[in-house]
Each structure stands twice: as C-alpha cells, then as structure tokens.
Amino acid sequence: TVQEHAPNPAAGDPGRPIGFGRLQRKEDPRFVRGKGHYLDDIVLPGMLHGAILRAPVAHARLVSIDTTEALAHPGVLAVITGKDLQALNLAWAPTLSADVQAVLVTDKVRFQGQEVAFVVAEDRYAARDALELIDVEYDMFPPVIDARRALDPGAPVIRDDIEGRTDNRIFDWEIGDAAETEAVFANADVVVAQEVVYPRVHPAPMETCGAVADFDPVDGRLTLYETTQAPHAHRTLYAIVAGIPEHKIRIVSPDIGGGFGNKVGIYPGYILAVVGSIVTGKPVKWVEDRSENLMSTSFARDYIMQGEIAATKEGKILAVRTNVLADHGAFNATAQPTKNPAGFFSIFTGSYDLKAAYCKVTGVYTNKAPGGVAYACSFRVTEAVYLVERMVDILARKLEMDPAELRLKNFIKPEQFPYANKTGWVYDSGNYEPAMRLSMQMAGYEDLRREQLEKRERGELMGIGVSFFTETVGAGPRKHFDIVGLGMADGAELRVHPTGKAVVRISVQSQGQGHETTFAQIVAEELGIPPESIDVVHGDTDQTPFGLGTYGSRSTPVSGGAVALVARKVRDKARFIAAAMLETRPEDLEWEKGRWFVKGDPSAGKTIAEIAFGAHGTVALPEGIDGNLDAEVTYDPPNLTFPFGAYICVVDVDAGTGHVKVRRFIAVDDCGTRINPMIIEGQVHGGLTDGVGMALMEIIAFDEEGNCLSGSFMDYLIPTAMEVPDWETGFTVTPSPHHPIGAKGIGESATVGSPPAIVNAIVDALTPYGVTHMDMPCTPARVWEAMQGRARPP
Ligand code: CDP
C-alpha cells in the first residue's frame, strides 16, 4: 500500500500520478529571504497606531473611565471607550456562535485581558504610554474560574447583559441514542470509565494578530488589512456589523505567520482599528503583543470529558458514551458550524465498528478569554480523538490486551465503507488495518515490547503508546454546515492568458501550508501546463471569489476540489475552441495531458497554450463559446473527507525526575491522493510537534482570581527542535471516492492524532506505578506526582 504517487481513479485515471510530486514550494524564495509581506510590514502614508487598554481583573463592574490625561499625552489623537462605541451602536459585535461579545467594556469586565479602551496615536510608543494615563475604577465581583463550579446554584451570573439570564449555561447538546447505548452498557461484560481532561491550550501562532484599517471618507470605502484565515466571511460580517456596504469593503490578508485557528474570528482589535480610522480619517494600525495574544484571543479545547467504554471480555468494543463540560469563557465566540455547538466532537466513536454511542455536551460561561477554536483541528475532532483513544487504552489495560491488537480487532472493515456511524457521520472511505500494520512494522513493535520488558526488569520506565484516528475534514456540504448563515463552500476562478500562462484565484487563505504550490499543481495536472506557469492568487477579497476560508484542513477537500473542477471546465471549453481551430467537431477530439488532438491523427492537435491564443485570436468560435479560456466554479462538497492515521510513540520517563523524553514517533497517515508529498510531510512534522507541546507542556492556566498564568512564552511553553525526535513518517493511500482528485485533508491530522499516542505511551511507561491515566500536560512535576499516586487535574 505504500507508493509515492497515488492513482487517481476518481478522475477516471488509475495509475497516473497526481501533480508533480515533491515540487519545491513556490512561496519559499520570499520566505527564506525574509521577503514575506506580513501585516506589520504594511505602512500606509499618514498611518496612525492603536493600542488597547486591557482589564487587569477577571470580573468587575466598570464604575468609571477618565481619559483626560491620556488625551492630553503628546501624539495622541483619540481615546475611544465603550461609551463612544455605544453611540455608534458598535459596543457589542456578534460572535461566530450566535452570541455577542463586547468590543469595549461598557458594563462589566468578564475576563482578565478584556478590551477596555483604545488609544490612537502618532506612533506605537505614544499609544502605549497613553494607556497608562487612563484612569479606570472597577467594582470587583467574585469570578467563576472553574467550569465545574459554573452551574452551582448561586454562582455569579457572568452574562447579566443577556436579558433573563439566571445562570452560566450556554447550551446542552446531545447526539446518539441514549437508551440504546444504555442497553448495550447494561449487558456488556466489561465497562470502564475515566474522566479525561483536555486542558485549555492556545494556538500561539508565531505572528500575533493585527489589522491596518484604511477608511476613505470620500467614497466610503474601507480597506482592511488583517491577519485572517477567512477574508470573505470577514467582509460579509463587517458589512452586517458596521453597516458599510459589502462592495465598499476590501479585506486583504497578506502573508500569515501561522493561524492554527487563532485567526478565524473577528477580534475587538480589528473593529477598533476600523473605528479608529473612521474617527481620525487616517489609516490605523493595531498589532497585539505576545501577552495580548495569549491572554485574550481564542484559546482551544478546555473540555472535561467523562468517558465510558463497553466491551465483551474478548475485547469487542460495543459502545462509547461521554458527558462533556465545555468551558467557553466569557462569550460564546467559539468558531464552529451553526448546527454543531460542540463542533465535530461526535466523531468520538473513532475508527471502530460500534453498536451504540451517545454523548452529551454542556457549554458554560466562565470568567476567562472567549473562544474555543479548533487549534489545528476540524472543530473539536482533537478532543474526540483524544477521548476515544485514551478510553481504548484504558480498556486494553483492563482486559490485559495489547493496545494495538485491541484496535486491530475493532476497526471498521474496508468493505463497510461508506460507513454510517452511530452519531450521524458517513465515513467516505478507509482501510485501517494496513495503516496500523505499517506503523507497527516501521516501529518494530514486537521488538519494542521485548525491550520494554527487559527495561522494566531493570526498573527503567519505557512506554509505547498507540493511537489510531479518523478525522472529519473539509466542511461543507453547505446544506449541513454554515458559519453565521454562510454555507461552507469555496470558489475558484481560472484564467489562461493568451500565451498559456494561467492565474487561479481561490477563496481559501494560506498561513504557511503551501497553497501557492499545491493548487498550482492541481491545475498543472488537469491542464498539462507546468506549475511554474500558474500563479495562485488568494487573500484579497477584491481579487478572489467568495468562499469560507482555511481552517479545519478544509482547503484541499473543498477549495482543492473547486480548483480541479474549474480546470476541468477550462479543459472542456478548450475542446470546443480546439475543434474550431482544427476545423473538426469537438466529439472527434481526444485529450492527452496538455492537448486536444484528432482521434486517429495524433499529429493534428492543439496544446492548451495554442488554444488559449486561439481563444483570444481571430478564429471564428462556435456559438455560445466566449473568446477567452477562463472559467469559474463554486464547489459544494457532497460530504466531508475522512483521513486517518496510525501513530506509535516511544517514551522514556526518568524515574527520578518524571521527565519525559519522546524517543521515537512513527506516524502513518492516509490523506487519500497526495498532491505534494514534501508539503504533506512538513504538515505532519509540524502537527506532531504541536502534539508534543500539548501532551508535555502547553496549558493556559488561571489562579482562583482569574489571573491568567500563561501570558508569555516563559510560562506558556511551546516545543522546539530540542524536545522532539526525528519523525518517522509513512503513508497509505485510500482516495476519497467523492473528491474530484480523491484528496483528503492532512493539515491537522498530526495535531489530532499525536497527543493520545504520547499520553498512552507515558501511562504505559508508568504501569509499574499502577498509573492508569494522567491528564495533560505531562510535565515532570505532574508525572512525578502521578507516580506517587497523586495525579491532579490541570
Ligand atoms: O486547509 P489547510 O490548507 O490547512 O489543510 P489541507 O487542505 O490539509 O492542506 C495542507 C497542505 O497540504 C496544502 O498545501 C495541501 O494542498 C497539501 N495537501 C496535499 O499535498 N495532499 C493532500 N492530500 C492534502 C493536502
């Protein structure tokens, strides 16, 4: 099953490689030379600078704000408060989850780091200095920090701005058949239960968030440069929120220094930059610093999951069940499709053929930063995979079975695809056993287990962790998935210029994933022109077609499909033009990569470049065929794609200090047709590194007063090359049956699949200490405590 190029049966083309394989990234020459053009590189004539005053406390009534001194500070042009925004009806903005969020505090501070006032000044220093001159009086309330206490009777009501609100409950959502699941559990030989916590973490992109707003009062046009993963959706939302007509708004998303879900939402800072520009009549730049990013922008996870799994004593898994408490912070600003308040968490049934499944998720408000974004994952797939893969390991321990064998015994079989699971998903395709066996073979699984036994006898702590995941990526279809009413589909436009050079315009937004390369490769494959002759344009709403943007590994499944289809549309059109040029009928022509030729006379043909010239030339074109070689499509995928992978992690734990070393990590991924194996490997390496971070060191923690304890990279640790091993990657290829080129997403597979493999390995290493579970992050102190039988929740 291992092969360098995938066949492309979906395109009726078995055995032909897709794309140009390991093409070097077209965007890298500018990145490696330091010539990328990021938000902070944008400098407009007369540009001013904004800075945000943030609340030092987590829960307090705003008594008064005095801005007199700040306004008098040299260089300051404006100080904007919540009251000013109220007058413009802009004090509150809709979130991506049918809630509202304060742009600037008007009534009450609801988390530490919340936006209180905005200073606009001639330079960044003056703006920041003036923040210290704003005098704010707060009347303190007790904060709600522990989500477990949020629904206690008498808990302070955080969202008293919402009429009639008497508690902190956001939603209760359930899926699956509770009664059927209960019946399976009641009759099962074995049931194991475990509380599994996925702590609050942060996407922490290298580049923080920022905006440059340029409002032209003469023609009422707003140009907004923004760090955004979804420029088109943002434009529509700004039109709705600010009342600026949509055709007068241009969003430009320049090079993005990492998004990972952090740059999906609309932050108060973006809106404030716009207000600042309207108020001063000049362009205004606002760029947050690292602490602002960590303390106030969208966090991820924060799920407390009560997991249960039922099985026969022979190890046939029958059902999974879970009750989840989801901490959404002070505003429900989580980014997920409207009908999915817990995102795609219902994929917690994993890769197993089950009789029943049921889950209930309760979302609550707490006095913490709002968000709940999918940090490098498709809408809560990470939490789901972590839960089920921990539960399967706990079951394996209970049954005294090998965790890899237990998984192999329970996989959905290849002939069961498309597989309808018990929570409403239809897995498009899969072939799990070969991936699992390949990872075991690459790892030398049997030898590792032998080595572990020997080491245990010597008192050394070595652990082997397995995880197997299935993801749900590539939302739409739009009939099922929308964000604030916008259906999840993506557009593509392709123009082939007279000389055969092409420009493809896409609605998704690269944040480092290499779209300029891979999308050119798709067009190149479909039209037979070299990828270097194809430019990929993205990140500017004036230049690209509408679409919902890049997150949840949806670019290739959705936009990649759009690009393949638009190229095929051009190819179909080219046939008519070629026929006119060759003075024959279109049905007499045959396609070979790059040219149409006369059936039975291969010498009589026209290449795409010749046809493009012909389209713009003097040949009389058939009726209904325009004089160009351009096309556009919007692709609404019929289903999501379901990539999967088998991961094996080997750790050594220092029995004296609790320090965990990830010694080896084997990752076998299946993302269907592989466009660019080099880019795929890069995506996997990055995601695995993310996984090490979450498993071992990352947590956004708070003290009892709601002070964020993780506001810098001194406290919020992220992994470097020092903490990770040389990744060992492999792959199988199971194309998506419905995707135009058979491709599934890959961008986030490794972030999703790696944390359970690492934690499973650590728990496995700690078996001699009787440890059956521990929560992330597995820092040395926490591992050591677990060894003493004192595991504590994060
Ligand atoms: O949405 P996002 O770009 O983050 O994720 P993705 O669609 O999984 O793609 C990540 C990168 O891997 C892009 O450059 C893709 O085109 C590339 N890729 C690939 O070469 N082959 C695949 N089957 C999937 C993705």
Side-chain angles (χ1 to χ4, degrees):
T1 52
V2 178
Q3 52 197 100
E4 184 65 12
H5 294 298
N8 189 2
D13 189 12
R16 193 171 77 181
I18 171 76
F20 288 75
R22 293 176 177 274
L23 188 72
Q24 293 215 336
R25 301 198 336 161
K26 288 166 65 133
E27 42 274 87
D28 280 350
R30 73 174 186 276
F31 291 150
V32 298
R33 288 173 171 85
K35 297 286 181 201
H37 202 58
Y38 296 91
L39 191 277
D40 206 25
D41 294 322
I42 292 164
V43 178
L44 302 181
M47 188 176 79
L48 305 172
H49 297 261
I52 294 175
L53 180 72
R54 294 181 181 277
V57 293
H59 202 189
R61 190 167 66 86
L62 182 71
V63 180
S64 63
I65 305 188
D66 184 349
T67 59
T68 328
E69 263 192 75
L71 258 173
H73 187 69
V76 170
L77 283 103
V79 181
I80 296 160
T81 64
K83 245 194 204 131
D84 302 325
L85 293 186
Q86 255 168 347
L88 299 166
N89 204 17
L90 281 177
W92 294 82
T95 68
L96 297 180
S97 285
D99 195 356
V100 288
Q101 169 169 3
V103 178
L104 288 175
V105 174
T106 50
D107 54 343
K108 197 168 83 165
V109 168
R110 292 182 171 85
F111 68 94
Q112 190 194 44
Q114 193 179 341
E115 297 77 3
V116 177
F118 187 63
V119 173
V120 183
E122 277 163 8
D123 62 56
R124 190 170 160 93
Y125 303 98
R128 293 224 147 196
D129 286 347
L131 294 182
E132 293 179 20
L133 303 173
I134 302 174
D135 198 11
V136 190
E137 199 187 322
Y138 297 104
D139 185 8
M140 304 288 284
F141 288 128
V144 179
I145 301 306
D146 183 352
R148 292 179 172 91
R149 302 267 74 87
L151 297 177
D152 282 358
V157 179
I158 298 167
R159 295 301 303 281
D160 48 359
D161 58 293
I162 306 172
E163 232 183 87
R165 201 151 257 285
T166 54
D167 65 14
N168 295 314
R169 189 183 302 272
I170 305 175
F171 63 83
D172 281 306
W173 176 82
E174 58 178 348
I175 192 137
D177 189 324
E180 186 185 56
T181 309
E182 174 51 33
V184 174
F185 268 85
N187 294 315
D189 302 337
V190 187
V191 171
V192 289
Q194 177 66 50
E195 180 180 283
V196 174
V197 178
Y198 211 130
R200 180 175 277 234
V201 293
H202 198 281
M206 186 102 78
E207 178 201 34
T208 60
C209 298
V212 179
D214 187 8
F215 184 75
D216 182 336
V218 177
D219 64 6
R221 197 172 159 78
L222 171 68
T223 305
L224 183 60
Y225 303 84
E226 263 192 331
T227 49
T228 174
Q229 299 175 222
H232 287 278
H234 274 211
R235 184 186 56 187
T236 305
L237 288 172
Y238 284 117
I240 293 168
V241 175
I244 302 171
E246 197 168 1
H247 68 297
K248 295 280 188 189
I249 303 176
R250 175 184 176 203
I251 306 283
V252 182
S253 191
D255 285 330
I256 301 281
F260 311 108
N262 191 234
K263 292 167 181 166
V264 173
I266 293 181
Y267 293 119
Y270 301 167
I271 300 173
L272 292 168
V274 174
V275 175
S277 180
I278 293 174
V279 168
T280 61
K282 298 217 168 130
V284 173
K285 177 187 276 186
W286 164 77
V287 180
E288 67 188 2
D289 65 23
R290 180 60 58 193
S291 292
E292 293 182 282
N293 180 257
L294 285 170
M295 288 175 67
S296 70
T297 64
S298 285
F299 69 92
R301 328 290 188 233
D302 222 345
Y303 263 31
I304 301 170
M305 305 177 274
Q306 310 299 333
E308 286 178 281
I309 189 163
T312 67
K313 54 186 182 309
E314 292 78 29
K316 174 80 191 92
I317 303 174
L318 302 172
V320 286
R321 180 162 64 182
T322 182
N323 197 334
V324 178
L325 186 62
D327 184 340
H328 283 226
F331 305 101
N332 188 18
T334 181
Q336 20 229 11
T338 306
K339 291 180 206 148
N340 301 67
F344 294 170
F345 182 74
S346 50
I347 193 78
F348 75 102
T349 53
S351 315
Y352 311 107
D353 185 21
L354 304 178
K355 282 194 184 325
Y358 171 74
C359 89
K360 181 172 173 233
V361 181
T362 300
V364 295
Y365 291 119
T366 58
N367 288 111
K368 300 183 199 164
V373 288
Y375 158 21
C377 85
S378 187
F379 309 117
R380 308 281 186 185
V381 171
T382 316
E383 290 90 324
V385 165
Y386 183 65
L387 174 72
V388 66
E389 289 307 288
R390 272 280 47 237
M391 294 311 298
V392 169
D393 251 46
I394 292 169
L395 177 67
R397 177 76 70 84
K398 171 92 173 184
L399 295 171
E400 294 179 357
M401 276 184 75
D402 179 90
E405 287 307 321
L406 179 60
R407 286 174 171 85
L408 281 163
K409 210 180 164 100
N410 286 286
F411 282 150
I412 300 162
K413 304 271 176 299
E415 61 276 12
Q416 289 177 280
F417 290 94
Y419 177 81
N421 86 336
K422 293 290 175 189
T423 55
W425 299 102
V426 179
Y427 296 22
D428 64 342
S429 60
N431 191 4
Y432 297 160
E433 184 173 340
M436 189 71 226
R437 298 244 179 247
L438 176 60
S439 70
M440 292 168 76
Q441 181 200 326
M442 286 169 63
Y445 192 74
E446 301 301 322
D447 291 344
L448 285 173
R449 287 285 174 207
R450 263 193 296 280
E451 181 190 343
Q452 182 184 37
L453 270 183
E454 285 165 23
K455 288 197 162 149
R456 264 193 195 154
E457 275 163 25
R458 297 202 298 269
E460 288 172 42
L461 302 178
M462 167 183 166
I464 304 156
V466 175
S467 78
F468 196 98
F469 64 91
T470 298
E471 285 187 280
T472 39
V473 310
R478 67 171 157 204
K479 65 173 185 262
H480 296 315
F481 306 112
D482 70 272
I483 288 188
V484 293
L486 298 169
M488 301 187 76
D490 277 277
E493 286 173 15
L494 178 61
R495 286 186 201 166
V496 186
H497 298 318
T499 57
K501 308 292 179 198
V503 177
V504 62
R505 297 166 195 277
I506 55 177
S507 52
V508 291
Q509 170 63 40
S510 182
Q511 310 124 45
Q513 298 95 320
H515 293 172
E516 289 166 38
T517 309
T518 48
F519 286 91
Q521 287 183 278
I522 295 173
V523 175
E525 170 65 16
E526 297 293 338
L527 291 186
I529 46 181
E532 54 273 18
S533 296
I534 303 156
D535 256 4
V536 177
V537 175
H538 59 107
D540 182 342
T541 55
D542 270 10
Q543 291 205 49
T544 55
F546 188 88
L548 272 242
T550 293
Y551 39 86
S553 299
R554 65 186 297 284
S555 302
T556 305
V558 189
S559 207
V563 167
L565 292 181
V566 82
R568 284 176 201 171
K569 213 168 166 180
V570 161
R571 193 168 71 199
D572 291 345
K573 182 172 181 180
R575 183 183 199 160
F576 286 90
I577 299 166
M581 294 168 77
L582 293 163
E583 295 178 351
T584 179
R585 297 180 314 167
E587 50 274 33
D588 292 336
L589 295 182
E590 210 170 300
W591 174 255
E592 67 177 350
K593 198 168 167 182
R595 71 195 278 271
W596 285 107
F597 66 91
V598 178
K599 278 180 199 160
D601 182 10
S603 65
K606 293 285 175 196
T607 65
I608 281 290
E610 287 164 342
I611 299 167
F613 206 92
H616 292 276
T618 54
V619 179
L621 297 176
E623 222 180 282
I625 299 291
D626 296 342
N628 61 47
L629 198 51
D630 306 344
E632 60 181 68
V633 300
T634 296
Y635 179 59
D636 180 21
N639 190 6
L640 290 103
T641 67
F642 293 74
F644 56 90
Y647 289 1
I648 297 178
C649 174
V650 183
V651 300
D652 296 308
V653 179
D654 185 316
T657 64
H659 178 265
V660 175
K661 179 180 161 58
V662 178
R663 191 206 314 165
R664 286 183 66 196
F665 200 105
I666 296 90
V668 171
D669 277 284
D670 191 320
C671 59
T673 301
R674 295 156 62 87
I675 300 161
N676 186 324
M678 181 197 72
I679 288 182
I680 290 172
E681 280 161 21
Q683 295 287 298
V684 171
H685 290 181
L688 294 174
T689 307
D690 271 343
V692 168
M694 285 179 286
L696 300 187
M697 57 191 84
E698 293 182 30
I699 182 168
I700 297 282
F702 296 84
D703 70 10
E704 284 173 6
E705 291 172 1
N707 294 306
C708 179
L709 305 177
S710 316
S712 82
F713 280 160
M714 293 294 283
D715 307 297
Y716 188 79
L717 303 184
I718 54 171
T720 68
M722 299 297 288
E723 282 83 28
V724 299
D726 281 341
W727 308 114
E728 300 168 57
T729 55
F731 63 95
T732 57
V733 175
T734 311
S736 167
H738 64 79
H739 187 272
I741 60 167
K744 303 179 177 184
I746 187 67
E748 303 165 328
S749 294
T751 321
V752 170
S754 56
I758 300 167
V759 175
N760 287 346
I762 296 168
V763 172
D764 183 49
L766 301 182
T767 303
Y769 288 79
V771 175
T772 53
H773 175 72
M774 77 169 291
D775 286 317
M776 299 183 285
C778 303
T779 58
R782 294 163 62 92
V783 170
W784 193 83
E785 283 182 4
M787 289 163 69
Q788 316 310 309
R790 298 204 306 263
R792 57 172 163 154

